Amino acid sequence: MAKIIQFSANPAPEKFGPQRARTKKGEEGVKPNQLNLFTGGKIVKLNHLSPFEEALLTDDHDDKRSARLLYQKAIEAGDSVADAYCNLGILESQEGNNSKAIDCFTMCLKHQPRHYEAHYNLANLFAEAGNYALAKLHYEISIEIEPSFSNCYYNLGLTLALNKQYKEAIEVLTKYRELTPTEDHKQTDDLIFKLSGLL
């Protein structure tokens, strides 16, 4: 007789939401994978914000309508085009315009194929639509580009679990545990335990 193990965690595991592009890629003085000692601070030029910086600041203040217009202005001005498309895609997905969101993320990737936030956000959209194969592909690409981005491991683990790839899900969730502080492990440990029972 088979033993039945309930898969639904209580509460259900939550996936991490969209990842907004915050800075221009390739800025001088910013080294990839280096700890930023000034996290949370923002350097504001005394003379003028670029169109992308203005859009990001507006978006941070939850003025989505104005942010959308300013991201489009940044794209037209050639200012952080990939990042602007990525953040515009997030705004579209938050309003349920998934086809427009996918278009924005793919335009981002057209301008910068290794834009890990766009791959991650595309993966989230595909996972929500139940297309686990495409979600898995984009999560894996995002991890390949930015292996220290822990949220991607967690969401990939959930996607693998939903696709009944339990062993792979456990491996990815274990990697997530390695990248996160101990206080974030309870829900992940519960999920790994339940998945282990399904092997």
Side-chain angles (χ1 to χ4, degrees), residues 34-97:
Q34 182 175 355
L35 179 63
N36 182 355
L37 298 177
F38 303 102
T39 301
K42 177 158 177 62
I43 298 173
V44 179
K45 298 176 191 172
L46 295 177
N47 55 359
H48 179 68
L49 293 173
S50 74
F52 177 76
E53 292 168 331
E54 190 176 351
L56 189 58
L57 191 60
T58 303
D59 200 354
D60 284 342
H61 287 96
D62 282 334
D63 185 353
K64 305 301 182 193
R65 184 173 176 268
S66 296
R68 172 180 277 119
L69 296 172
L70 290 168
Y71 283 131
Q72 289 169 339
K73 182 179 173 184
I75 291 166
E76 291 166 9
D79 180 30
S80 301
V81 174
D83 290 341
Y85 270 122
C86 182
N87 293 353
L88 194 55
I90 292 170
L91 293 177
E92 293 293 351
S93 70
Q94 289 172 341
E95 290 189 7
N97 303 325

Side-chain angles (χ1 to χ4, degrees), residues 52 106 144 149 181 192:
F52 177 76
T106 54
E144 187 69 30
F149 182 44
I192 289 172

Side-chain angles (χ1 to χ4, degrees), residues 30-197:
V30 178
K31 296 180 181 175
N33 300 324
Q34 182 175 355
L35 179 63
N36 182 355
L37 298 177
F38 303 102
T39 301
K42 177 158 177 62
I43 298 173
V44 179
K45 298 176 191 172
L46 295 177
N47 55 359
H48 179 68
L49 293 173
S50 74
F52 177 76
E53 292 168 331
E54 190 176 351
L56 189 58
L57 191 60
T58 303
D59 200 354
D60 284 342
H61 287 96
D62 282 334
D63 185 353
K64 305 301 182 193
R65 184 173 176 268
S66 296
R68 172 180 277 119
L69 296 172
L70 290 168
Y71 283 131
Q72 289 169 339
K73 182 179 173 184
I75 291 166
E76 291 166 9
D79 180 30
S80 301
V81 174
D83 290 341
Y85 270 122
C86 182
N87 293 353
L88 194 55
I90 292 170
L91 293 177
E92 293 293 351
S93 70
Q94 289 172 341
E95 290 189 7
N97 303 325
N98 290 343
S99 60
K100 287 182 180 180
I102 289 171
D103 184 53
C104 288
F105 294 135
T106 54
M107 288 300 291
C108 170
L109 293 173
K110 177 182 174 184
H111 288 276
Q112 188 177 341
R114 294 183 54 81
H115 197 282
Y116 81 93
E117 295 101 332
H119 283 290
Y120 172 77
N121 292 323
L122 266 173
N124 286 343
L125 277 177
F126 289 130
E128 288 173 11
N131 189 335
Y132 301 127
L134 279 176
K136 178 183 175 208
L137 173 69
H138 283 283
Y139 284 134
E140 288 173 341
I141 292 170
S142 183
I143 287 170
E144 187 69 30
I145 296 167
E146 187 57 52
S148 63
F149 182 44
S150 61
N151 294 4
C152 205
Y153 291 93
Y154 187 82
N155 287 1
L156 176 58
L158 291 179
T159 301
L160 291 167
L162 290 169
N163 208 29
K164 299 182 179 174
Q165 295 175 283
Y166 304 127
K167 182 180 178 202
E168 295 87 350
I170 291 169
E171 290 170 5
V172 171
L173 290 169
T174 301
K175 180 65 177 176
Y176 167 78
R177 286 184 86 257
E178 293 171 11
L179 294 171
T180 55
T182 307
E183 59 267 12
D184 293 346
H185 294 172
K186 181 172 178 8
Q187 188 172 11
T188 308
D189 291 342
D190 290 344
L191 185 56
I192 289 172
F193 176 76
K194 289 178 181 183
L195 291 173
S196 298

